[in-house]
Coordinates of all heavy atoms in Angstrom, one line a residue:
M1 N -0.1 -22.0 3.1 CA -1.3 -21.3 3.3 C -1.6 -20.3 2.2 O -0.7 -19.5 1.9 CB -1.2 -20.7 4.7 CG -2.5 -20.0 5.1 SD -2.5 -19.7 6.9 CE -2.6 -18.0 6.9
P2 N -2.7 -20.4 1.6 CA -3.0 -19.4 0.5 C -3.2 -18.0 1.0 O -3.6 -17.8 2.2 CB -4.3 -20.0 -0.1 CG -4.9 -20.7 0.9 CD -3.8 -21.3 1.8
P3 N -2.9 -17.0 0.2 CA -3.2 -15.6 0.6 C -4.7 -15.4 0.8 O -5.5 -16.1 0.2 CB -2.6 -14.8 -0.5 CG -2.6 -15.7 -1.7 CD -2.4 -17.1 -1.2
P4 N -5.0 -14.4 1.7 CA -6.4 -14.2 1.9 C -7.1 -13.7 0.6 O -6.5 -13.1 -0.2 CB -6.4 -13.1 3.0 CG -5.1 -12.5 2.9 CD -4.1 -13.6 2.4
A5 N -8.4 -13.9 0.5 CA -9.2 -13.5 -0.6 C -9.3 -12.0 -0.8 O -9.3 -11.5 -1.9 CB -10.6 -14.1 -0.6
F6 N -9.3 -11.3 0.4 CA -9.5 -9.9 0.3 C -8.2 -9.3 1.0 O -7.9 -9.5 2.2 CB -10.7 -9.4 1.1 CG -10.9 -7.9 1.1 CD1 -11.3 -7.3 -0.1 CD2 -10.7 -7.2 2.2 CE1 -11.5 -5.9 -0.1 CE2 -10.8 -5.8 2.2 CZ -11.3 -5.2 1.1
D7 N -7.5 -8.5 0.3 CA -6.3 -7.8 0.8 C -6.6 -6.4 1.1 O -6.8 -5.6 0.2 CB -5.2 -8.0 -0.3 CG -3.8 -7.5 0.2 OD1 -3.8 -7.0 1.4 OD2 -2.9 -7.5 -0.6
R8 N -6.6 -6.0 2.3 CA -7.0 -4.6 2.7 C -6.0 -3.6 2.2 O -6.3 -2.5 1.8 CB -7.0 -4.5 4.3 CG -8.2 -5.2 4.9 CD -8.1 -5.1 6.4 NE -9.0 -6.0 7.0 CZ -10.2 -5.7 7.6 NH1 -10.5 -4.4 7.6 NH2 -11.0 -6.6 8.1
L9 N -4.7 -4.0 2.2 CA -3.7 -3.0 1.7 C -3.9 -2.8 0.2 O -3.7 -1.6 -0.2 CB -2.3 -3.6 2.0 CG -1.8 -3.5 3.4 CD1 -0.4 -4.1 3.5 CD2 -1.8 -2.1 3.9
R10 N -4.2 -3.8 -0.5 CA -4.4 -3.6 -2.0 C -5.6 -2.7 -2.2 O -5.6 -1.8 -3.0 CB -4.5 -4.9 -2.7 CG -4.8 -4.8 -4.2 CD -4.6 -6.0 -4.9 NE -3.2 -6.4 -4.7 CZ -2.7 -7.5 -5.2 NH1 -3.4 -8.3 -5.9 NH2 -1.4 -7.8 -5.1
A11 N -6.7 -3.0 -1.4 CA -7.9 -2.2 -1.6 C -7.6 -0.7 -1.2 O -8.1 0.2 -1.8 CB -9.0 -2.8 -0.7
L12 N -6.8 -0.5 -0.1 CA -6.5 0.8 0.3 C -5.6 1.5 -0.8 O -5.9 2.7 -1.1 CB -5.7 0.8 1.6 CG -5.2 2.1 2.2 CD1 -6.5 3.0 2.5 CD2 -4.4 1.9 3.4
A13 N -4.7 0.8 -1.4 CA -3.9 1.4 -2.5 C -4.7 1.8 -3.7 O -4.6 2.9 -4.2 CB -2.8 0.4 -2.9
I14 N -5.6 0.9 -4.1 CA -6.5 1.2 -5.3 C -7.4 2.3 -4.9 O -7.6 3.2 -5.8 CB -7.2 -0.1 -5.7 CG1 -6.3 -1.1 -6.2 CG2 -8.3 0.2 -6.7 CD1 -6.9 -2.5 -6.4
G15 N -8.0 2.3 -3.8 CA -8.9 3.4 -3.4 C -8.2 4.7 -3.3 O -8.8 5.7 -3.8
S16 N -7.1 4.8 -2.7 CA -6.4 6.1 -2.6 C -6.0 6.6 -4.0 O -6.0 7.8 -4.2 CB -5.2 5.9 -1.7 OG -4.2 5.1 -2.3
Q17 N -5.5 5.8 -4.9 CA -5.2 6.2 -6.2 C -6.4 6.7 -7.0 O -6.3 7.7 -7.7 CB -4.4 5.1 -7.0 CG -3.1 4.7 -6.3 CD -2.1 5.8 -6.2 OE1 -1.8 6.4 -7.2 NE2 -1.6 6.1 -5.0
A18 N -7.5 6.0 -6.8 CA -8.7 6.4 -7.5 C -9.2 7.7 -7.0 O -9.6 8.6 -7.8 CB -9.8 5.3 -7.3
I19 N -9.2 7.9 -5.7 CA -9.6 9.2 -5.1 C -8.7 10.3 -5.6 O -9.1 11.4 -5.9 CB -9.7 9.1 -3.6 CG1 -10.8 8.2 -3.1 CG2 -9.8 10.5 -2.9 CD1 -10.8 7.8 -1.7
G20 N -7.4 10.1 -5.6 CA -6.4 11.1 -6.0 C -6.7 11.5 -7.5 O -6.7 12.7 -7.8
L21 N -6.9 10.5 -8.3 CA -7.2 10.8 -9.8 C -8.4 11.6 -9.9 O -8.5 12.6 -10.7 CB -7.2 9.5 -10.6 CG -7.5 9.6 -12.1 CD1 -6.4 10.4 -12.7 CD2 -7.7 8.3 -12.7
I22 N -9.5 11.2 -9.2 CA -10.7 11.9 -9.3 C -10.6 13.4 -8.8 O -11.1 14.3 -9.4 CB -11.8 11.2 -8.5 CG1 -12.2 9.9 -9.2 CG2 -13.1 12.1 -8.3 CD1 -13.1 9.0 -8.3
L23 N -9.8 13.5 -7.7 CA -9.5 14.9 -7.2 C -8.7 15.7 -8.1 O -9.0 16.9 -8.3 CB -8.8 14.7 -5.8 CG -8.7 16.0 -5.0 CD1 -10.0 16.7 -4.8 CD2 -8.0 15.7 -3.7
I24 N -7.7 15.1 -8.8 CA -7.0 15.9 -9.8 C -7.8 16.4 -11.0 O -7.8 17.5 -11.4 CB -5.8 15.0 -10.3 CG1 -4.7 15.0 -9.2 CG2 -5.2 15.6 -11.6 CD1 -3.6 14.0 -9.5
I25 N -8.7 15.5 -11.5 CA -9.6 15.8 -12.6 C -10.6 16.9 -12.1 O -10.9 17.8 -12.8 CB -10.3 14.6 -13.1 CG1 -9.2 13.7 -13.8 CG2 -11.4 15.0 -14.1 CD1 -9.7 12.3 -14.2
T26 N -11.1 16.7 -10.9 CA -12.1 17.7 -10.4 C -11.5 19.1 -10.2 O -12.1 20.1 -10.6 CB -12.7 17.2 -9.1 OG1 -13.3 15.9 -9.3 CG2 -13.7 18.1 -8.5
L27 N -10.2 19.1 -9.7 CA -9.6 20.4 -9.5 C -9.4 21.1 -10.9 O -9.5 22.3 -11.0 CB -8.2 20.2 -8.8 CG -8.2 19.9 -7.3 CD1 -6.9 19.5 -6.8 CD2 -8.7 21.1 -6.6
E28 N -9.0 20.3 -11.9 CA -8.8 20.9 -13.2 C -10.1 21.4 -13.8 O -10.1 22.5 -14.4 CB -8.2 19.8 -14.2 CG -8.0 20.3 -15.6 CD -6.8 21.3 -15.7 OE1 -5.9 21.3 -14.8 OE2 -6.8 22.1 -16.6
T29 N -11.1 20.7 -13.6 CA -12.4 21.1 -14.1 C -12.9 22.4 -13.4 O -13.4 23.3 -14.0 CB -13.5 20.0 -13.9 OG1 -13.0 18.8 -14.5 CG2 -14.8 20.4 -14.4
I30 N -12.8 22.5 -12.1 CA -13.3 23.6 -11.3 C -12.4 24.8 -11.4 O -12.9 25.9 -11.6 CB -13.5 23.2 -9.9 CG1 -14.6 22.2 -9.7 CG2 -13.9 24.4 -9.0 CD1 -14.8 21.6 -8.4
M31 N -11.1 24.6 -11.3 CA -10.2 25.8 -11.1 C -9.4 26.1 -12.4 O -8.8 27.2 -12.5 CB -9.2 25.5 -10.0 CG -9.8 25.3 -8.7 SD -8.6 24.8 -7.4 CE -7.7 26.3 -7.2
G32 N -9.4 25.2 -13.4 CA -8.7 25.5 -14.6 C -7.2 25.5 -14.3 O -6.7 24.6 -13.6
D33 N -6.4 26.4 -14.9 CA -5.0 26.5 -14.7 C -4.5 26.8 -13.3 O -3.4 26.5 -12.9 CB -4.4 27.5 -15.7 CG -4.4 27.0 -17.1 OD1 -4.5 25.8 -17.3 OD2 -4.3 27.9 -18.0
A34 N -5.4 27.4 -12.5 CA -5.0 27.7 -11.1 C -4.9 26.4 -10.3 O -4.4 26.5 -9.1 CB -6.1 28.6 -10.5
A35 N -5.3 25.3 -10.8 CA -5.3 24.1 -10.0 C -4.0 23.4 -10.0 O -3.7 22.4 -9.3 CB -6.4 23.1 -10.6
R36 N -3.0 23.8 -10.9 CA -1.7 23.2 -11.0 C -1.0 22.9 -9.7 O -0.6 21.8 -9.4 CB -0.8 23.9 -12.0 CG -1.4 24.1 -13.3 CD -1.2 22.9 -14.2 NE -1.6 23.2 -15.5 CZ -2.5 22.4 -16.2 NH1 -2.9 21.3 -15.7 NH2 -2.8 22.8 -17.4
P37 N -0.9 23.9 -8.8 CA -0.2 23.6 -7.6 C -0.9 22.6 -6.7 O -0.3 21.8 -6.1 CB -0.1 25.0 -6.9 CG -0.4 26.0 -7.9 CD -1.2 25.3 -9.0
W38 N -2.2 22.7 -6.7 CA -3.0 21.8 -5.9 C -2.9 20.4 -6.4 O -2.9 19.4 -5.7 CB -4.4 22.2 -5.8 CG -4.6 23.5 -5.0 CD1 -4.8 24.7 -5.4 CD2 -4.3 23.6 -3.6 NE1 -4.8 25.6 -4.4 CE2 -4.5 25.0 -3.3 CE3 -4.0 22.7 -2.6 CZ2 -4.4 25.5 -1.9 CZ3 -3.9 23.2 -1.3 CH2 -4.1 24.6 -1.0
Q39 N -2.9 20.3 -7.8 CA -2.7 19.0 -8.4 C -1.4 18.4 -8.0 O -1.2 17.1 -7.8 CB -2.9 19.1 -9.9 CG -4.3 19.3 -10.3 CD -4.4 19.6 -11.8 OE1 -3.5 20.2 -12.4 NE2 -5.5 19.2 -12.4
G40 N -0.3 19.2 -7.9 CA 1.0 18.7 -7.5 C 0.9 18.2 -6.1 O 1.6 17.2 -5.7
V41 N 0.2 18.9 -5.2 CA 0.1 18.5 -3.8 C -0.6 17.1 -3.7 O -0.2 16.2 -3.0 CB -0.7 19.5 -3.0 CG1 -1.0 19.0 -1.6 CG2 0.2 20.8 -2.9
V42 N -1.7 17.0 -4.5 CA -2.5 15.7 -4.5 C -1.6 14.6 -5.0 O -1.6 13.5 -4.5 CB -3.7 15.9 -5.4 CG1 -4.4 14.5 -5.6 CG2 -4.7 16.8 -4.8
L43 N -0.8 14.9 -6.1 CA 0.1 13.9 -6.6 C 1.1 13.5 -5.6 O 1.4 12.3 -5.4 CB 0.8 14.3 -7.9 CG 1.8 13.4 -8.5 CD1 1.0 12.1 -8.9 CD2 2.4 14.0 -9.7
A44 N 1.7 14.4 -4.8 CA 2.7 14.1 -3.8 C 2.0 13.3 -2.7 O 2.7 12.3 -2.2 CB 3.2 15.4 -3.2
V45 N 0.8 13.6 -2.3 CA 0.1 12.8 -1.3 C -0.1 11.4 -1.8 O 0.0 10.4 -1.0 CB -1.2 13.5 -0.9 CG1 -2.0 12.6 0.0 CG2 -0.9 14.8 -0.1
M46 N -0.5 11.3 -3.1 CA -0.7 9.9 -3.7 C 0.6 9.1 -3.6 O 0.6 7.9 -3.3 CB -1.2 10.1 -5.1 CG -2.6 10.6 -5.2 SD -3.0 11.0 -6.9 CE -2.9 9.4 -7.7
L47 N 1.7 9.7 -3.9 CA 3.0 9.0 -3.9 C 3.4 8.6 -2.5 O 3.9 7.5 -2.3 CB 4.1 9.9 -4.6 CG 3.9 10.1 -6.1 CD1 5.0 11.1 -6.6 CD2 4.0 8.8 -6.9
V48 N 3.2 9.5 -1.6 CA 3.6 9.2 -0.2 C 2.7 8.1 0.3 O 3.2 7.1 1.0 CB 3.5 10.5 0.7 CG1 3.5 10.1 2.2 CG2 4.5 11.5 0.4
T49 N 1.4 8.1 0.0 CA 0.5 7.0 0.4 C 1.0 5.7 -0.2 O 1.0 4.7 0.5 CB -0.9 7.3 0.0 OG1 -1.3 8.6 0.6 CG2 -1.9 6.3 0.4
A50 N 1.3 5.7 -1.5 CA 1.7 4.5 -2.2 C 3.0 3.9 -1.5 O 3.2 2.7 -1.3 CB 1.9 4.7 -3.7
L51 N 3.9 4.8 -1.2 CA 5.2 4.4 -0.6 C 4.9 3.8 0.8 O 5.5 2.8 1.2 CB 6.1 5.6 -0.5 CG 7.5 5.3 0.2 CD1 8.3 4.3 -0.6 CD2 8.3 6.6 0.3
A52 N 4.1 4.5 1.6 CA 3.7 4.0 2.9 C 3.1 2.6 2.8 O 3.4 1.7 3.6 CB 2.8 4.9 3.6
I53 N 2.2 2.4 1.9 CA 1.5 1.1 1.7 C 2.5 0.0 1.3 O 2.5 -1.1 1.8 CB 0.4 1.2 0.7 CG1 -0.8 2.0 1.3 CG2 -0.1 -0.2 0.3 CD1 -1.9 2.4 0.4
A54 N 3.5 0.4 0.4 CA 4.5 -0.6 0.0 C 5.4 -0.9 1.2 O 5.8 -2.1 1.3 CB 5.3 0.1 -1.1
L55 N 5.7 0.0 2.0 CA 6.6 -0.3 3.2 C 5.8 -1.2 4.2 O 6.4 -2.1 4.8 CB 7.0 1.0 3.9 CG 8.1 1.8 3.1 CD1 8.3 3.1 3.8 CD2 9.3 1.0 2.9
V56 N 4.6 -0.9 4.4 CA 3.8 -1.8 5.3 C 3.7 -3.2 4.7 O 3.8 -4.2 5.5 CB 2.4 -1.2 5.5 CG1 1.5 -2.2 6.2 CG2 2.4 0.1 6.3
R57 N 3.5 -3.3 3.4 CA 3.4 -4.6 2.8 C 4.8 -5.4 2.9 O 4.8 -6.6 3.2 CB 3.1 -4.5 1.3 CG 2.9 -5.8 0.6 CD 2.5 -5.6 -0.9 NE 1.2 -5.0 -1.0 CZ 0.1 -5.7 -0.9 NH1 0.1 -7.0 -0.7 NH2 -1.1 -5.0 -1.1
L58 N 5.9 -4.7 2.7 CA 7.2 -5.2 2.9 C 7.4 -5.7 4.3 O 8.0 -6.8 4.6 CB 8.3 -4.2 2.5 CG 9.7 -4.7 2.5 CD1 10.0 -5.8 1.5 CD2 10.6 -3.5 2.2
Y59 N 7.0 -4.9 5.3 CA 7.2 -5.2 6.7 C 6.4 -6.5 7.0 O 6.9 -7.4 7.7 CB 6.7 -4.0 7.6 CG 6.7 -4.3 9.0 CD1 7.9 -4.4 9.7 CD2 5.6 -4.6 9.7 CE1 7.9 -4.6 11.1 CE2 5.6 -4.9 11.0 CZ 6.7 -4.9 11.7 OH 6.7 -5.2 13.1
R60 N 5.2 -6.5 6.6 CA 4.3 -7.7 6.9 C 4.9 -9.0 6.2 O 4.9 -10.0 6.8 CB 2.9 -7.5 6.4 CG 2.1 -6.5 7.2 CD 0.7 -6.4 6.8 NE 0.0 -5.5 7.6 CZ -1.3 -5.2 7.4 NH1 -2.0 -5.7 6.4 NH2 -1.9 -4.3 8.2
R61 N 5.4 -8.8 5.0 CA 6.0 -10.0 4.3 C 7.2 -10.5 5.0 O 7.4 -11.7 5.2 CB 6.4 -9.6 2.8 CG 6.9 -10.8 2.0 CD 7.2 -10.4 0.6 NE 6.0 -9.8 -0.1 CZ 6.0 -8.7 -0.8 NH1 7.2 -8.1 -1.0 NH2 5.0 -8.2 -1.4
N62 N 8.1 -9.5 5.5 CA 9.3 -9.9 6.2 C 8.9 -10.6 7.6 O 9.5 -11.6 8.0 CB 10.2 -8.7 6.5 CG 10.9 -8.3 5.2 OD1 11.0 -9.1 4.3 ND2 11.4 -7.1 5.2
Q63 N 7.9 -10.1 8.2 CA 7.4 -10.7 9.5 C 6.9 -12.1 9.2 O 7.2 -13.1 10.0 CB 6.3 -9.9 10.1 CG 6.8 -8.6 10.7 CD 7.8 -8.8 11.8 OE1 7.7 -9.7 12.6 NE2 8.8 -7.9 11.8
A64 N 6.2 -12.3 8.1 CA 5.7 -13.7 7.8 C 6.8 -14.6 7.5 O 6.8 -15.8 7.9 CB 4.7 -13.6 6.6
R65 N 7.9 -14.1 6.8 CA 9.0 -15.0 6.5 C 9.7 -15.4 7.8 O 10.2 -16.5 7.9 CB 10.0 -14.2 5.6 CG 9.5 -14.2 4.2 CD 10.5 -13.4 3.3 NE 10.0 -13.3 1.9 CZ 10.5 -12.4 1.1 NH1 11.4 -11.5 1.4 NH2 10.0 -12.3 -0.1
K66 N 9.9 -14.4 8.7 CA 10.5 -14.7 10.0 C 9.7 -15.8 10.8 O 10.3 -16.7 11.3 CB 10.7 -13.5 10.8 CG 11.7 -12.5 10.4 CD 11.8 -11.3 11.2 CE 12.8 -10.3 10.7 NZ 12.9 -9.1 11.5
R67 N 8.4 -15.6 10.8 CA 7.5 -16.6 11.4 C 7.7 -18.0 10.8 O 7.8 -19.0 11.4 CB 6.1 -16.2 11.4 CG 5.8 -15.1 12.4 CD 4.3 -14.9 12.6 NE 3.6 -14.6 11.4 CZ 3.4 -13.4 10.9 NH1 3.8 -12.3 11.5 NH2 2.7 -13.2 9.8
W68 N 7.7 -18.0 9.4 CA 7.9 -19.3 8.7 C 9.2 -19.9 9.0 O 9.3 -21.1 9.2 CB 7.7 -19.0 7.2 CG 7.8 -20.3 6.4 CD1 8.9 -20.6 5.6 CD2 6.9 -21.3 6.3 NE1 8.6 -21.8 5.0 CE2 7.4 -22.3 5.4 CE3 5.6 -21.5 6.8 CZ2 6.7 -23.4 5.1 CZ3 4.9 -22.6 6.5 CH2 5.5 -23.6 5.6
A69 N 10.3 -19.1 9.0 CA 11.6 -19.6 9.3 C 11.7 -20.2 10.8 O 12.3 -21.2 11.0 CB 12.7 -18.6 9.2
Q70 N 11.0 -19.5 11.7 CA 10.9 -20.0 13.1 C 10.2 -21.3 13.2 O 10.6 -22.2 13.9 CB 10.3 -18.9 14.0 CG 10.2 -19.2 15.4 CD 11.6 -19.3 16.0 OE1 12.5 -18.5 15.6 NE2 11.8 -20.2 17.0
R71 N 9.1 -21.4 12.4 CA 8.4 -22.7 12.4 C 9.3 -23.8 11.9 O 9.3 -25.0 12.4 CB 7.1 -22.6 11.6 CG 6.0 -21.8 12.3 CD 4.8 -21.9 11.4 NE 3.9 -20.8 11.8 CZ 3.1 -20.2 11.0 NH1 3.0 -20.5 9.8 NH2 2.3 -19.2 11.5
L72 N 10.0 -23.5 10.8 CA 10.9 -24.5 10.2 C 12.0 -24.9 11.2 O 12.3 -26.1 11.4 CB 11.5 -24.1 8.9 CG 10.6 -23.9 7.7 CD1 11.3 -23.4 6.6 CD2 10.0 -25.3 7.4
D73 N 12.5 -24.0 11.9 CA 13.6 -24.3 12.9 C 13.0 -25.1 14.1 O 13.6 -26.0 14.5 CB 14.2 -23.0 13.5 CG 15.1 -22.3 12.5 OD1 15.5 -23.0 11.6 OD2 15.4 -21.1 12.7
D74 N 11.8 -24.7 14.5 CA 11.1 -25.5 15.6 C 10.8 -26.9 15.1 O 11.0 -27.9 15.9 CB 9.9 -24.8 16.0 CG 10.1 -23.5 16.8 OD1 11.3 -23.3 17.2 OD2 9.2 -22.7 16.9
H75 N 10.4 -27.1 13.9 CA 10.1 -28.4 13.3 C 11.4 -29.2 13.2 O 11.4 -30.4 13.4 CB 9.4 -28.3 12.0 CG 9.0 -29.6 11.4 ND1 8.2 -30.5 12.1 CD2 9.3 -30.1 10.2 CE1 8.1 -31.6 11.3 NE2 8.7 -31.3 10.1
D76 N 12.5 -28.6 12.8 CA 13.7 -29.3 12.6 C 14.3 -29.8 13.9 O 15.0 -30.8 14.0 CB 14.8 -28.5 11.9 CG 14.4 -28.3 10.4 OD1 13.6 -29.1 9.9 OD2 14.9 -27.3 9.8
D77 N 14.1 -29.0 15.0 CA 14.6 -29.4 16.3 C 13.9 -30.6 16.9 O 14.5 -31.2 17.8 CB 14.5 -28.2 17.3 CG 15.4 -27.0 16.9 OD1 16.4 -27.3 16.1 OD2 15.2 -25.9 17.3
T78 N 12.7 -30.8 16.5 CA 12.0 -32.0 17.1 C 12.3 -33.3 16.5 O 12.9 -33.5 15.5 CB 10.5 -31.8 17.0 OG1 10.1 -31.6 15.7 CG2 10.1 -30.6 17.9

């Protein structure tokens, strides 16, 4: 079965990184050097979001593999 044409997790990952980058640039433009701590917070949130999305993707992939293995076992038993 081919992968779906639209991957929500990929769209979420791309969107969150784009928003983070825009926010970092906006903070630098508005606040100047005072934005450094806030930029660090934004970067940390971006990294946590990317890690969470990667873990969800890994979980879904493992679940799909388990379902596939179960189908193969069911097919072999018949």
Side-chain angles (χ1 to χ4, degrees):
M1 184 162 119
F6 181 75
D7 186 2
R8 289 180 195 253
L9 286 178
R10 181 167 294 180
L12 181 62
I14 293 169
S16 68
Q17 297 300 306
I19 290 170
L21 180 63
I22 291 169
L23 189 54
I24 286 173
I25 293 170
T26 303
L27 285 170
E28 179 71 26
T29 302
I30 293 172
M31 299 175 70
D33 287 339
R36 301 279 187 230
W38 292 108
Q39 288 173 328
V41 170
V42 170
L43 180 61
V45 170
M46 289 169 63
L47 292 173
V48 168
T49 302
L51 179 61
I53 290 170
L55 289 174
V56 169
R57 183 178 296 277
L58 181 64
Y59 175 77
R60 287 184 181 180
R61 186 179 302 135
N62 286 340
Q63 290 297 321
R65 286 181 184 159
K66 286 179 184 178
R67 285 192 304 268
W68 182 255
Q70 183 66 33
R71 286 185 198 148
L72 289 177
D73 285 344
D74 291 345
H75 181 56
D76 289 342
D77 291 341
T78 58

